[in-house]
Amino acid sequence: MFGRSPSKDLPELIPGHASHEGTQAYAADSGLAEAHFSDFGKEALKLSSLGLGTDFGEATDAIDAGYREALAHGLKNGLNVVEAGISYRFGRSAQAAGAAIRDAVADGVAREGLFVVAKGGFMAFPGGPPEDLGTWFKNNIVKKGLGTPEELAEGPHLLSAAYIAWQLEQSRQALGVETLDAFLIDQSEVHIPHMETKEDLNTRLQKVYAVLEMAVQAGNLRSYGLATWKSCRVPTNDPMFQSLTSQVATAENAAGDPQSHHMRLVTMPYNVNMLEGFTRFNQATGQGNVASTVQTAYQLGLYFIGTHTLMGGQLLHEQPPILRQTMGNLRTNAQRAMQFSRSTPGVGTAMVAMADKAHVDEALELARYDPLARKTFLKMFEQAEDDDSGEEAAEG
């Protein structure tokens, strides 16, 4: 299941994985601010505070070329986190990211300095979605033992151990690496409405996590985690809520030993307009307190990645005035939005989809600055509250 050799028409997979020494050297050679890099895991990998995403754009050759050039430029100059879901743009994003990784390595970037993230769960349709999903699913999934209709949810999203194992292998091939540094299960919460209890979802996730643990043992993967959309932003009593503590316990059960599981990451949308990860205290940590998702991730040893840093481009045009007031030294709205997210205490990396080299240069310009000091960051919330109070008084 995990050891298949690459096809003859594909380039050889690049050996290695992100390492302490490799990422330390990468950070030192980047010439960027030391605080631009965050520590990941027990190995203390140095990961860039801004990451290269690939989830936007049409499925065209032009966008492919843009991603390849932009990602390679970023990887060569100080952005060492790159992520591609195997379903993004019908698989084309992962192929473009793989080409960029090969370009960067060919130009002298050590594989050990890069953190390569794949993502699965949503179904991949190379070439575009089928006209008849039911027939396609029967022929390509059921007959091949990759899943059943009962394991399917809207998206379409297939949460079966066999299908996740297949997507992990496809991701390795597309990204061109022998070992993925991380694999994320994307939005497993979409299955909650189709199940009687959340324990049913955790039972299924335990089987998925067990497959990922096997991939770690096989040397094809280093770590895994959960990519969420809504489940960590809602209140605890919302039907869609997922507990991080429960997910870690599920991973421990999958590994068979609380000390040996490899769940290491959690991602969720986080930006100045989507603050729940930092401001909503909805997670019981198992350590006697209730905390935000960002805080809980830290307490559980999970690396927090913020997604939708620019809110789908909205923050390029409209931002709370407090950002310009606090970060007037920065040149663009994009830089201020990225600075806000990566400066949030507990956020390791803020992901931004960039298919344009000029946008990467904008991020690299920001990476020459330190993130905001904690005191400065928190003061923005105090000022915002004061402004709101003043408006209420004026209205009264």
Side-chain angles (χ1 to χ4, degrees), residues 21-147:
E21 294 79 7
T23 56
Q24 290 274 347
Y26 180 96
D29 292 344
S30 71
L32 301 176
E34 183 178 347
H36 165 57
F37 293 91
S38 304
D39 286 327
F40 172 89
K42 298 176 182 178
E43 306 91 339
L45 306 182
K46 288 293 183 182
L47 304 190
S48 55
S49 63
L50 299 171
L52 297 159
T54 60
D55 54 334
F56 290 110
E58 300 296 324
T60 65
D61 292 344
I63 299 297
D64 291 347
Y67 269 125
R68 179 173 183 171
E69 179 185 35
L71 298 180
H73 181 57
L75 293 172
K76 288 186 280 188
N77 288 284
L79 307 181
N80 69 339
V81 180
V82 59
E83 180 263 315
I86 194 63
S87 65
Y88 290 172
R89 302 172 54 252
F90 308 120
R92 297 177 70 141
S93 284
Q95 295 286 350
I101 292 167
R102 289 193 296 274
D103 291 344
V105 171
D107 280 351
V109 177
R111 167 66 183 96
E112 291 74 17
L114 306 179
F115 193 82
V116 181
V117 185
K119 184 185 288 187
F122 285 104
M123 297 193 69
F125 299 117
E131 293 184 7
D132 184 342
L133 178 59
T135 300
W136 183 94
F137 188 86
K138 180 179 179 180
N139 292 333
N140 292 276
I141 301 298
V142 178
K143 288 184 177 180
K144 295 180 180 180
L146 296 178

Side-chain angles (χ1 to χ4, degrees), residues 19 34 60-61 82 84 97 112 131 168 196 200 226 236 253 294-295 357:
S19 69
E34 183 178 347
T60 65
D61 292 344
V82 59
E112 291 74 17
E131 293 184 7
L168 188 148
E196 292 186 10
D200 293 333
L226 205 60
T236 308
N253 291 335
V294 173
Q295 293 171 322
K357 184 180 176 182

